[in-house]
Amino acid sequence: REVEISPRETLTTLEDTLAKEGATLVVEPLRYPLRETPQEESSAPVCRKLTRKDGDVVDTTTKTAEEIDRRVRALTPWPGVRCTIGGAPLKLLETSLEETPFSVPIPCRGNTLLHLVTVQPPGKRPMGAAEWQRGMR
């Protein structure tokens, strides 16, 4: 079955959608017998298992805001995305490509802006980006 994925979909929201869809699909084989569908091996997508390293540190000077935003939506909550801002490490929990109330703009490659919404400094609780920025001063 096909499921529409919105442009701002995150791992967590997609997981919820697919869990509900999957629950309804579990019942169908009991009602209707399964038919084998041949698959062309050469066109089958292959993806390796994610590791902690996949959530490694991103560099705002080598990645655009869109690239980082996509990574954050795909890899949060695990393995997560980290970056260094002003020499300080920071875990990115929620980002946006558009300004939102209390977001903090960060310049990225290609003159793009990534807006930090929710972040987590090492050893601290998750917090709004504006709150984090006030604490950085």
Side-chain angles (χ1 to χ4, degrees):
R1 217 175 261 173
E2 291 184 11
V3 174
E4 187 173 326
I5 299 176
S6 73
R8 298 295 307 155
E9 196 84 60
T10 66
L11 170 68
T12 306
T13 58
L14 183 59
E15 204 171 47
D16 290 345
T17 301
L18 293 178
K20 290 174 188 168
E21 190 67 29
T24 62
L25 289 175
V26 167
V27 178
E28 286 188 16
L30 300 174
R31 292 186 188 150
Y32 312 104
L34 293 175
R35 292 185 316 270
E36 186 176 317
T37 306
Q39 182 172 336
E40 181 65 42
E41 289 293 324
S42 63
S43 66
V46 178
C47 182
R48 63 178 173 70
K49 185 176 179 178
L50 290 176
T51 66
R52 183 168 297 282
K53 186 174 174 143
D54 291 311
D56 217 354
V57 177
V58 294
D59 185 356
T60 57
T61 62
T62 61
K63 295 203 180 303
T64 66
E66 186 175 5
E67 290 170 325
I68 297 171
D69 182 61
R70 286 179 178 175
R71 254 184 116 76
V72 170
R73 288 186 290 122
L75 300 175
T76 298
W78 192 90
V81 176
R82 291 166 179 73
C83 73
T84 302
I85 299 176
L90 188 65
K91 186 173 186 179
L92 307 180
L93 301 176
E94 184 182 354
T95 58
S96 177
L97 296 175
E98 298 176 12
E99 185 176 6
T100 64
F102 308 109
S103 67
V104 174
I106 301 294
C108 298
R109 191 187 92 208
N111 291 326
T112 59
L113 279 179
L114 179 69
H115 295 273
L116 304 182
V117 179
T118 308
V119 297
Q120 185 174 9
K124 305 257 174 145
R125 63 174 176 74
M127 62 181 69
E131 179 185 0
W132 164 77
Q133 187 178 41
R134 282 192 301 275
M136 291 291 290
R137 295 182 188 169

